[in-house]
Amino acid sequence: MTQPGRLSPDPATPMRYVSTRGAAPELDFAQVLLAGLADDGGLYVPAQWPAFAPDLVERVADMDYVQVATEVLWPYVAGSIDHDRLVTILTEAYATFASDEVVPLRQLDDRLWLAELFHGPTLAFKDIALQPVGRLFDEVLARQDRHVTIVGATSGDTGSAAIEAVRDRDSVEIFMFHPVGRVSEVQRRQMTTVLSANVHNVAIDGTFDDCQDLVKALFADEAFRVRRQLSAVNSINWARVMAQVVYYVWAAGRLSGPGGPAAGSRPSFSVPTGNFGNVFAGWVATRSGLDVERLVVGSNSNDILARWLATGALDMTVVEPTLSPSMDIQVSSNQERLVFELWGRDGARVADAMASLRSTRHLAFDDNVMAEVRSLFDGARIDDDETLAVIAEVYARHGMLIDPHTAVGIGAARHCDVPGDGPVVCLATAHPAKFPDAVEQATGIRPALPAHLADLFDRPEKFDSLPNDLDTVRRYIDANGR
Ligand SMILES: *Cc1c(COP(=O)(O)O)cnc(C)c1O
């Protein structure tokens, strides 16, 4: 076995991170991990993009997932995390997955493949990033003898993945707010059956937006923020993006590397997209040297990104609930990282543009920028009817149940008529049992929970219910935090 990435880059020159809005201090990895959002409202990106070793894709066939992850992540964390600790953290993080391969690849037809990203503890792809990120938090905080309070709002997937990532960790206390009666029973139980002392589930008498507003208000209260050492693990955290780069390399190496079923061809990826974190990780992989034909952005009816690719403008509309709720967004926050690159890392321009997008709900891009975007990205909108049709068709043809998010990715790949003859890898972002109603509606079959969650409905739940009131919530955290 090779010793992946041990000497590259030199740990004496650790990675620095800059904000996409150009007005926040440069930070190192440990600081970026804990900061999440930059002080200027921007998102952190590496000061330089690291390059993969030129033979990385060729070597993937002889590596396991943890080895690929170690080699890909090392340049981003060098200087903040020791190499040995990185290996241990990744080994432990991916030992929680129900598949030895971590991300198994399955062939659907000639060109179409599924990369199953849902074998983690909470059955959605968020585990791939949050399992290592929870451990990285603990590592950095323990070393500084610090303790933080993570607060978050969830409409479903993020809450359970974040809770699983930090449960029983000494350095972290987590308070997760969900809107009462508005998350599915599977999703609620995945959160509330975690009985760890550092996990606090709170059902808020309100909507998801109310929960999010409470979180924002808690962060805006400076005295409280400092007193409780508030922190977040939301999808704009750089550490989450970097962990998602790995499976692009993994799938490319396994399929298009030497000895693979599509050896020598250029792979494409189709990505069911919400906040643009997942597909942006694919762009990062190409920036570091991965040879990719196309990145397909799959949208549900909330199609701001598909329209952007078609028209060259971002136009905000209202969010419509769909069968793929984890993609029901108005603005894809991680897209700012791509815009920063497209505009030659002009942070001041990005800051102006984002302010104007918020106020006018419109942002147009030049033709030459869009030409560059379209040379790599393509996109399509798949509505609920088509989502159900794709689920039914995949079941009829392949005997396989897929979740509605995955169906959007497959549908988008078909619409986009991907050039070349390389494999088209659809990222399967959730287990079908996580969205049983849609799957049953499409196929007549209710998918069963996997073995490790089979008794989910028999487990005791622990949560508190609070009114949608900032003062009450603040007092609750002070009384129940450590
Ligand atoms: C979060 C999520 C997505 C969207 O991913 P982004 O990184 O926000 O684009 C897609 N599918 C599922 C199942 C998810 O949980």
Side-chain angles (χ1 to χ4, degrees):
M1 273 296 132
T2 49
Q3 268 291 325
R6 182 171 276 280
L7 297 173
S8 160
D10 183 346
T13 55
M15 183 70 78
R16 306 291 295 171
Y17 290 84
V18 298
S19 164
T20 52
R21 300 195 186 173
E26 269 189 39
L27 301 182
D28 66 16
F29 175 76
Q31 293 167 318
V32 161
L33 176 74
L34 300 180
L37 201 67
D39 281 349
D40 59 2
L43 281 62
Y44 276 106
V45 288
Q48 292 100 29
W49 294 108
F52 297 139
D55 63 347
L56 173 59
V57 166
E58 285 166 37
R59 285 184 284 116
V60 166
D62 298 322
M63 297 161 83
D64 62 25
Y65 193 86
V66 168
Q67 289 173 315
V68 178
T70 305
E71 181 158 341
V72 170
L73 298 188
W74 175 239
Y76 297 120
V77 306
S80 289
I81 308 286
D82 292 341
H83 194 272
D84 291 351
R85 288 298 302 151
L86 178 65
V87 173
T88 305
I89 284 169
L90 293 171
T91 303
E92 288 176 5
Y94 295 121
T96 66
F97 278 55
S99 164
D100 289 342
E101 292 172 289
V102 183
V103 177
L105 302 165
R106 268 184 229 297
Q107 188 160 21
L108 279 188
D109 60 34
D110 260 12
R111 288 183 72 190
L112 207 56
W113 290 76
L114 284 185
E116 293 185 349
L117 305 177
F118 55 70
H119 293 284
T122 73
L123 310 181
F125 93 102
K126 307 265 185 315
D127 290 326
I128 295 209
L130 281 165
Q131 283 296 319
V133 165
R135 289 169 172 82
L136 287 166
F137 252 73
D138 211 31
E139 171 85 10
V140 166
L141 289 167
R143 216 167 49 204
Q144 300 174 2
D145 200 15
R146 274 182 64 195
H147 182 268
V148 297
T149 305
I150 291 176
V151 294
T154 185
S155 58
D157 290 349
T158 307
S160 56
I163 286 169
E164 279 296 335
V166 303
R167 64 185 295 174
D168 305 318
R169 299 203 178 283
D170 291 339
S171 58
V172 181
E173 198 92 19
I174 187 166
F175 290 82
M176 189 58 65
F177 307 128
H178 68 267
V180 68
R182 295 185 203 229
V183 296
S184 78
E185 190 167 6
V186 172
Q187 289 176 323
R188 187 191 74 236
R189 285 180 164 273
Q190 282 187 312
M191 298 190 281
T192 57
T193 58
V194 177
L195 305 179
S196 310
N198 70 329
V199 172
H200 309 272
N201 278 292
V202 183
I204 296 289
D205 189 9
T207 64
F208 171 60
D209 286 335
D210 294 332
C211 295
Q212 248 184 340
D213 288 344
L214 284 171
V215 169
K216 280 187 198 149
L218 292 170
F219 271 94
D221 176 347
E222 169 139 24
F224 182 79
R225 188 174 75 220
V226 171
R227 178 165 82 243
R228 307 278 2 151
Q229 292 279 295
L230 286 197
S231 187
V233 288
N234 47 25
S235 82
I236 49 88
N237 195 305
W238 165 257
R240 284 182 60 177
V241 176
M242 75 176 191
Q244 295 169 5
V245 177
V246 177
Y247 45 75
Y248 288 89
V249 177
W250 168 257
R254 293 271 152 158
L255 298 180
S256 296
S265 65
R266 299 171 91 191
S268 295
F269 293 87
S270 185
V271 188
T273 300
N275 259 325
F276 205 77
N278 200 355
V279 72
F280 181 71
W283 180 88
V284 172
T286 68
R287 189 67 185 73
S288 293
L290 190 70
D291 198 10
V292 168
E293 182 78 46
R294 278 286 183 284
L295 293 174
V296 174
V297 175
S299 298
N300 62 24
S301 303
N302 300 291
D303 62 346
I304 184 168
L305 292 168
R307 284 182 285 119
W308 172 62
L309 289 164
T311 67
L314 288 170
D315 283 293
M316 286 167 69
T317 52
V318 289
V319 178
E320 217 179 278
T322 71
L323 294 174
S324 42
S326 301
M327 295 153 56
D328 291 348
I329 47 87
Q330 194 170 41
V331 174
S332 300
S333 39
N334 270 297
Q335 193 195 13
E336 180 168 335
R337 290 188 159 110
L338 180 65
V339 172
F340 180 63
E341 300 295 332
L342 293 170
W343 289 351
R345 300 203 145 202
D346 183 344
R349 185 173 173 195
V350 173
D352 283 350
M354 291 302 145
S356 134
L357 175 61
R358 294 283 161 183
S359 60
T360 65
R361 303 169 69 82
H362 171 85
L363 181 63
F365 290 76
D366 297 343
D367 289 347
N368 57 334
V369 165
M370 286 316 296
E372 186 188 337
V373 170
R374 290 183 188 118
S375 69
L376 180 63
F377 291 94
D378 200 349
R381 165 193 204 261
I382 308 296
D383 66 15
D384 278 355
D385 286 344
E386 194 169 352
T387 301
L388 291 170
V390 172
I391 297 174
E393 190 217 302
V394 168
Y395 182 65
R397 285 187 27 190
H398 309 287
M400 190 187 292
L401 295 175
I402 55 167
D403 104 289
H405 303 79
T406 306
V408 168
I410 293 176
R414 291 198 174 137
H415 274 270
C416 288
D417 197 14
V418 178
D421 59 0
V424 179
V425 183
C426 294
L427 300 187
T429 52
H431 190 288
K434 194 139 192 187
F435 299 93
D437 296 337
V439 176
E440 187 173 15
Q441 195 184 340
T443 64
I445 294 169
R446 201 163 177 85
L449 286 165
H452 73 277
L453 286 170
D455 64 344
L456 185 67
F457 286 86
D458 305 321
R459 294 183 195 167
E461 292 186 80
K462 183 187 91 168
F463 65 96
D464 288 309
S465 300
L466 292 181
N468 175 23
D469 176 65
L470 179 60
D471 227 34
T472 312
V473 167
R474 203 166 20 212
R475 276 202 309 270
Y476 174 88
I477 293 176
D478 273 330
N480 290 278
R482 106 166 183 192

